Each structure stands twice: as C-alpha cells, then as structure tokens.
Amino acid sequence: MCIIEAILVLHMSCVINAASNNSIIYDGSNVFNTLNSILANDMLSEKTQYEDFLASYAGAIIDESGKLIVYLENNVTSLSGLKEELYEKNVAVSSIQFLDVEFSYNELKAYKNVMWDFVTQTKENEINETIYLWANKLQATAIDPASNRVELYVVGFEEEDYDLCEQFFGDYPYEIEILPEEYRLQEDTTIKPGQSVTSTGGSIGFRCKLSGVEGFITATHSSTDYNVQNEVSVSIGGVVVGKITAGKYDGMSDFTFVELTNPNYDISATTNTSPAYTLNGSNYVVSLPVGYEVFMAGCKSSSVREGTVYRDGYTISQGSDWLVCDYPSQSGDSGGCIFAEVNGDYCIVGIHDGTLVGTGLDYATKLSTMRGYYDITLY
C-alpha cells in the first residue's frame, strides 16, 4: 500500500503533484507530506489511532488547483482526529479532501496481479490461438487512484478483444487504455557488458554500498551472471574505476552494481550535474503516486530534467512495480539517477532504464525494488 510502504522506510514519503479550483492554488505536495508525517509518527507510537485509515487507503492525486484528494475505501469509521491534527499543523480545510471509493489500494493491487498472472500464463501456454493473440495485445497494467480501477494498457484492440476482456476479467474492477500501435520498449545504455567503457558526465545512478562494499548503481540491460570468471571493468572519463559484481535484468527490474576498485575515485553524494542537487544520503522514495514531480540526471544532458510520475506500480513483462514518468530522455541516459524532493530533501527514487516508444514516457527501476534483491544501503 502506497502510504504504508512509505512509512516503513525512515524519512520516506509517497507524494503527488499536479494542479481544479478556480483562482485558489494549493500546495498538495506539502499537504501530503504533512499527512504522511502524522501517519508515520502514529505507527511508531505505542497506541496507534489510524490503522483503519491505513487499511482503507486507496491512493491520492492532486487536482488542477493543487488540492490533495485522498481516496479511502468506504469503511473508515471516523476522520475527525486526523483532520484535527492536520489543521493543528496549519493544513487548511479547503486544501485536502477525503473521498469514498469501493476498493482499497491493496485490493486493487491483488486484482491487478491476478489479471496479469492470467495474461502471462496465456502467453506461455498458447493453447487457443484467439486467446493467445488477445493476451499479446495486453502490454501493461497499473492502478489508477482517481477511477479506483485497474488499468489495462492494450495495443491493436478490436471488438472481439473487448469481449474477451469481459469474459476473463468481468468480475474485476478494470478499465482499458489504448496505447499507440508503435508501443514497444526501447533500452539505451552507456555501459556495454564485456568491455571497458566510458560514461561521460555520468549515467551513474547513485553511490551506495552492497553488503558493505562501496560502489554505485547503473544499468547494462544484461542478464549476465557477473562473477570473478566474467568480470567487466567500468571506466569513467577513460579511467577505470571499478568492476560489475551484481545486477538484475529479469523483467521485474533492470540495474547493475559497480564495485569501486580505484581508491582515487570518489562517487559524489550529488548528482554530478548542473545545477547540483544534493541527495540525502539516508533517504529514498518507496512509492510515488500520479503527478508527483521527479528529476532525472543522465549523461546526455548538462542539466537535470524534470517530469512527473505517470504511474507507479506499473506492470511490464513480469514485474509489477515499475515507475513510469514523463521526463525527457535520450539514448545513453540509462542508469541515470531519478530523484524527488520530499520534505525539503532530495531523495533517490531509482534509475532510468528506457522509453516506452510511442508514448513519450520513460520507465525506471525503483531503489525499493533493488533492495528486494540485495542489501543496498545509501550513505
């Protein structure tokens, strides 16, 4: 669940950004940060007050005026205590709205996973050609908090395909979004497996430690099992700085860890771009709802590029937790750091992996996903 996941990590928050009310402009990001701070402190207290709220959380957006809209499964008994605490922290009554919906985030996530598992199995089995062709037109899934539905992203749908969706998914809350015919994944990287490379201006993601060993995260788009027999050295600006010792490219994530072997090379705590944004060494983002502002720093630009979250918890291939954003990117940016401002700190979100061609959107692996594979810590 978006808020719960965020709270479980120290100083973390799940936030949104967007902008619908005539002349009044609100700051929904700060309102959400205040809400999340209250919930985080509540979880740490001996006697929690807001378990009901957390269990019912169904997502959030910021409307066109910047008002924070929080969706809750319609079984929350009372919000009076929470509202009081918000107002005590100078959150205006008009800047936040709580709306009832049918399903919680966890329920929609469970539906989404069941639906995608069915699609995946259908593609693998090839038992019925008609159903097989239909399954291959389904490209991705995600949760839309505003509609309180699972979104099915499809390509080339015809009338019979809608009928098959209803046949197989009619018991689930879903809606269909048509993608352009040219939709496909495009991957770009500055690091090629099997050779020494130079990463100019740095599609270095961020420095970190893997099981206590210093290094940094980037992307190679390779499923190679890196080990002593298959060492790949990495250079920056013509100087060898380390070697690849770990990585995942499995349909659920796409990232690589480079162990630093050059004692004279330091991976800066900043993004190495201009202007410099200092990243908080202990904070990282677990989950970001639709519309939240994010930044990407890749080697193909001298400046940080800005964009917003299109979907979090996006399913591509086997994975169900990709981040999809609309920042501009170029070939060679893979591995570049994605970060966001949370409560005044710039916190790491993950790394850029590639483009959903035909959509103007980019997909990324989150640090929280990487930590599911390895003991990765920031410093």
Side-chain angles (χ1 to χ4, degrees):
M1 177 180 294
C2 193
I3 290 184
I4 290 180
E5 286 177 340
I7 289 173
L8 291 179
V9 180
L10 186 62
H11 303 310
M12 226 36 296
S13 175
C14 160
V15 198
I16 326 173
N17 177 16
S20 145
N21 260 264
N22 304 320
S23 57
I24 302 177
I25 301 297
Y26 303 102
D27 187 352
S29 297
N30 283 335
V31 174
F32 196 95
N33 282 338
T34 302
L35 170 63
N36 207 63
S37 175
I38 291 171
L39 295 171
N41 290 333
D42 183 65
M43 286 189 69
L44 296 173
S45 66
E46 292 183 9
K47 189 176 181 181
T48 57
Q49 303 177 61
Y50 305 128
E51 287 179 308
D52 187 27
F53 177 95
L54 292 170
S56 300
Y57 179 75
I61 66 167
I62 293 178
D63 70 12
E64 293 173 0
S65 72
K67 177 189 288 188
L68 177 65
I69 312 293
V70 179
Y71 301 99
L72 299 167
E73 185 184 18
N74 49 21
N75 61 3
V76 176
T77 53
S78 174
L79 291 170
S80 57
L82 182 57
K83 288 179 178 178
E84 241 178 77
E85 227 178 311
L86 283 166
Y87 305 152
E88 286 173 4
K89 295 182 181 294
N90 299 317
V91 172
V93 175
S94 57
S95 66
I96 184 169
Q97 184 176 8
F98 298 96
L99 294 180
D100 287 348
V101 291
E102 189 176 359
F103 303 101
S104 70
Y105 183 89
N106 276 347
E107 288 174 313
L108 288 176
K109 188 174 182 179
Y111 288 136
K112 180 172 79 80
N113 291 342
V114 169
M115 294 164 75
W116 193 254
D117 285 345
F118 178 81
V119 171
T120 302
Q121 292 165 13
T122 302
K123 289 178 180 178
E124 293 173 351
N125 294 337
E126 301 184 38
I127 296 172
N128 180 296
E129 185 180 6
T130 301
I131 298 175
Y132 173 76
L133 292 173
W134 162 81
N136 278 276
K137 295 177 182 179
L138 274 66
Q139 302 295 307
T141 61
I143 295 170
D144 182 2
S147 67
N148 197 228
R149 292 290 181 267
V150 176
E151 286 185 313
L152 297 177
Y153 296 90
V154 305
V155 169
F157 251 37
E158 298 174 2
E159 190 174 338
E160 58 269 25
D161 295 311
Y162 292 96
D163 294 337
L164 286 172
C165 277
E166 196 56 29
Q167 177 182 332
F168 297 122
F169 302 145
D171 292 335
Y172 304 119
Y174 76 93
E175 58 186 14
I176 293 173
E177 181 168 327
I178 306 295
L179 291 169
E181 288 290 342
E182 64 269 29
Y183 174 96
R184 66 187 187 280
L185 300 182
Q186 174 178 300
E187 298 166 339
D188 302 301
T189 185
T190 54
I191 295 183
K192 305 293 183 184
Q195 63 183 28
S196 252
V197 298
T198 296
S199 185
T200 56
S203 280
I204 297 172
F206 50 87
R207 68 176 190 172
C208 62
K209 292 181 181 179
L210 192 153
S211 300
V213 177
E214 287 191 46
F216 61 89
I217 296 292
T218 184
T220 62
H221 307 313
S222 172
S223 55
T224 303
D225 180 17
Y226 299 105
N227 49 46
V228 176
Q229 287 73 38
N230 190 29
E231 265 188 18
V232 179
S233 60
V234 175
S235 61
I236 298 174
V239 177
V240 175
V241 298
K243 60 183 180 181
I244 297 174
T245 58
K248 289 293 178 181
Y249 180 66
D250 55 3
M252 293 180 281
S253 59
D254 181 1
F255 67 97
T256 306
F257 175 75
V258 177
E259 176 185 333
L260 280 177
T261 56
N262 186 338
N264 297 316
Y265 194 86
D266 176 49
I267 298 297
S268 173
T270 72
T271 61
N272 258 351
T273 55
S274 179
Y277 290 74
T278 301
L279 301 179
N280 187 306
S282 61
N283 292 3
Y284 68 96
V285 174
V286 173
S287 190
L288 289 173
V290 176
Y292 193 72
E293 185 176 45
V294 294
F295 306 90
M296 192 275 282
C299 74
K300 288 299 182 178
S301 177
S302 60
S303 63
V304 172
R305 279 149 284 171
E306 300 176 10
T308 57
V309 172
Y310 174 77
R311 285 290 180 268
D312 193 8
Y314 198 90
T315 298
I316 309 172
S317 184
Q318 303 161 324
S320 62
D321 204 26
W322 296 90
L323 183 74
V324 177
C325 306
D326 64 359
Y327 52 76
S329 66
Q330 299 180 50
S331 175
D333 282 331
S334 280
C337 184
I338 300 173
F339 56 101
E341 183 180 3
V342 180
N343 288 328
D345 289 326
Y346 289 102
C347 307
I348 292 171
V349 176
I351 60 167
H352 170 74
D353 283 317
T355 302
L356 303 176
V357 178
T359 67
L361 300 169
D362 298 281
Y363 62 98
T365 302
K366 295 188 292 185
L367 172 55
S368 56
T369 301
M370 301 177 200
R371 284 170 56 87
Y373 292 96
Y374 300 111
D375 175 22
I376 296 175
T377 55
L378 302 175
Y379 68 102

